[in-house]
Amino acid sequence: MPFAIIAMSGVLVEDIGNNWGAVYLRDTLGAPVTVMGFAYVVMVGAQFIGRLLGDRMINAFGEVNITRFGGALIFLGMGTVIIAANVPMALVGFGLAGFGCATLVPSAYAAADRAPGLKPGTGLTLVSWSMRVIFLISPPLVGALADNIGLRLAILFVPLMGLLAIIFARSLRIRGRGR
């Protein structure tokens, strides 16, 4: 289900910011303890702003375009985190990715719930389950990869998920069933 890929793209940004942002700033960029939590704060703050503006952006530019824009921001933002040479640069990346992921999960939920051929709530349930699976497997997977190849390379798949959101954005253009 393409909606699940879009939703997973969004929640992976949240997961990396929540579970690995502070570790990344400390271990990869040498951030002091007083700064470590800012990866999460910046990511969630940008996501909050994106959620506040999300409906207006979707109404103005369309759900597909905003999802593509969000995927591009995830790609650019997490790519910036990965190549960051310093903490401020990484924080900009976390902010871009947080803003980019803001509308992905709500849009995926809405599209999945209107998917033709499914009973009301079924598509929404499938997308929600897929997100829970990502929340369960990504932290230990990233940790295992980080132990072997370093955290910078371990999170390389997150910007690629942004590209998948761009590719699958068109799936949001479903008419759905009449209610």
Side-chain angles (χ1 to χ4, degrees):
M1 178 177 273
F3 318 127
I5 300 295
I6 292 168
M8 288 187 288
S9 298
V11 297
L12 275 171
V13 172
E14 293 179 42
D15 186 59
I16 296 301
N18 184 38
N19 293 315
W20 297 103
V23 175
Y24 187 85
L25 291 183
R26 182 193 67 203
D27 292 356
T28 306
L29 299 176
V33 173
T34 56
V35 174
M36 289 170 41
F38 282 115
Y40 178 70
V41 170
V42 168
M43 188 274 305
V44 170
Q47 184 183 42
F48 175 72
I49 292 167
R51 291 255 169 100
L52 288 176
L53 299 175
D55 287 341
R56 279 184 248 153
M57 293 186 309
I58 288 169
N59 289 338
F61 302 107
E63 201 163 39
V64 172
N65 289 329
I66 293 303
T67 298
R68 287 181 178 146
F69 179 66
L73 286 179
I74 289 170
F75 179 79
L76 179 65
M78 290 308 294
T80 299
V81 169
I82 290 167
I83 65 167
N86 55 52
V87 172
M89 186 177 176
L91 292 177
V92 167
F94 278 113
L96 289 171
F99 191 84
C101 78
T103 61
L104 269 60
V105 172
S107 291
Y109 273 168
D113 200 38
R114 347 181 260 273
L118 297 176
K119 292 181 183 178
T122 302
L124 182 62
T125 299
L126 293 172
V127 169
S128 182
W129 284 352
S130 68
M131 289 173 24
R132 299 305 171 247
V133 169
I134 287 298
F135 276 132
L136 288 172
I137 65 171
S138 68
L141 177 63
V142 169
L145 288 170
D147 280 344
N148 291 296
I149 61 174
L151 189 52
R152 192 181 298 260
L153 291 177
I155 63 173
L156 193 57
F157 69 96
V158 182
L160 299 178
M161 290 298 290
L163 292 178
L164 288 177
I166 294 168
I167 292 167
F168 289 115
R170 171 168 256 168
S171 70
L172 298 175
R173 210 178 265 152
I174 60 172
R175 298 281 183 241
R177 56 189 169 273
R179 292 193 183 191

